Amino acid sequence: MRLPIYLYGHPVLRAVAEKVDTSTAPSQELKELVDNMYETMYASDGVGLAAPQIGRSIAMVVIDAQPLAESFPECDGFKRTIINPELEILDGEEIGRNEGCLSLPGLAEDVKRVEHIRIKYLDADFNQHEEEVSGFAARVVQHELDHLAGKVYTDRINLMRRQLIKGKLNAIAIGRNTPDYPYRTAPLRKKR
Ligand code: NI
């Protein structure tokens, strides 16, 4: 089932996601949620989607960076379901590249990030993984993990750019800049 994507300005995107309870086997509900997140991501032409973006403040993301493989070979076959991740930065040098986000329709900005990371996480069957990720795949992972910390990529761009796109961000937050996929905007504030 395709789910609506929560847009910039919605408080769920600013919450710190809760860890998924992995003390028992994955529930049917969780497995369905993973399937629905992939379906939603593919239908919206995204390469990553974090649970807060579908209104669930839990530490889970899905990634399939295959569409980027032509430009970034490290993305070839990079499909991961990541639950309760821990991120370690392996290389401190930051590189700026263009990023977009399904929660920020119509925007793309240069974001500085490191190119080498190590992640520890559980997959959808709660099997443990630990791996090093490089290049654009590492960027996608960092972008998605930011969502679990209540961050979006525009938090990481320089102040001047942020000032320049402030109007566009506000338009998204008040429902005046909407995507062509199903979405939810922030609850309207009462006017006095
Ligand atoms: Ni995003």
Side-chain angles (χ1 to χ4, degrees):
M1 189 177 65
R2 199 171 170 183
L3 306 167
I5 291 176
Y6 285 58
L7 299 187
Y8 180 87
H10 197 289
V12 73
L13 295 177
R14 291 310 192 180
V16 175
E18 271 182 42
K19 284 204 165 182
V20 175
D21 178 7
T22 59
S23 60
T24 56
S27 66
Q28 195 55 39
E29 196 248 334
L30 190 88
K31 294 204 162 194
E32 277 171 26
L33 187 61
V34 171
D35 289 346
N36 291 341
M37 284 176 66
Y38 275 108
E39 186 180 338
T40 302
M41 176 182 77
Y42 289 133
S44 317
D45 293 324
V47 294
L49 189 69
Q53 294 183 273
I54 46 102
R56 297 286 303 269
S57 191
I58 56 172
M60 182 160 84
V61 312
V62 298
I63 291 172
D64 189 346
Q66 188 62 43
L68 303 171
E70 216 168 282
S71 312
F72 304 100
E74 65 275 20
C75 292
D76 189 30
F78 193 80
K79 181 180 177 182
R80 303 283 190 278
T81 303
I82 296 176
I83 293 171
N84 295 350
E86 287 172 37
L87 172 72
E88 187 187 336
I89 302 292
L90 295 181
D91 183 339
E93 199 198 337
E94 293 188 323
I95 292 172
R97 284 195 193 280
N98 219 242
E99 289 183 27
C101 178
L102 292 173
S103 294
L104 284 74
L107 285 178
E109 292 291 324
D110 255 34
V111 184
K112 284 185 178 171
R113 296 192 193 271
V114 300
E115 295 262 289
H116 303 287
I117 60 172
R118 181 183 291 127
I119 44 171
K120 270 193 205 174
Y121 62 95
L122 303 175
D123 63 24
D125 298 314
F126 294 170
N127 295 315
Q128 284 212 34
H129 299 268
E130 181 169 349
E131 65 176 313
E132 292 187 13
V133 188
S134 296
F136 211 93
R139 173 172 300 272
V140 177
V141 170
Q142 290 172 80
H143 175 118
E144 297 311 325
L145 266 47
D146 269 356
H147 279 300
L148 304 182
K151 285 187 184 146
V152 294
Y153 74 84
T154 49
D155 300 344
R156 295 188 178 275
I157 65 177
N158 71 53
L159 252 175
M160 200 155 85
R161 278 304 302 170
R162 223 183 303 163
Q163 282 298 324
L164 281 168
I165 62 166
K166 207 174 165 187
K168 285 183 184 172
L169 288 173
N170 283 338
I172 296 170
I174 62 171
R176 291 225 180 104
N177 181 2
T178 57
D180 58 5
Y181 39 82
Y183 65 89
R184 289 251 192 295
T185 51
L188 286 178
R189 289 192 202 108
K190 285 206 179 88
K191 282 185 186 141
R192 284 163 191 260

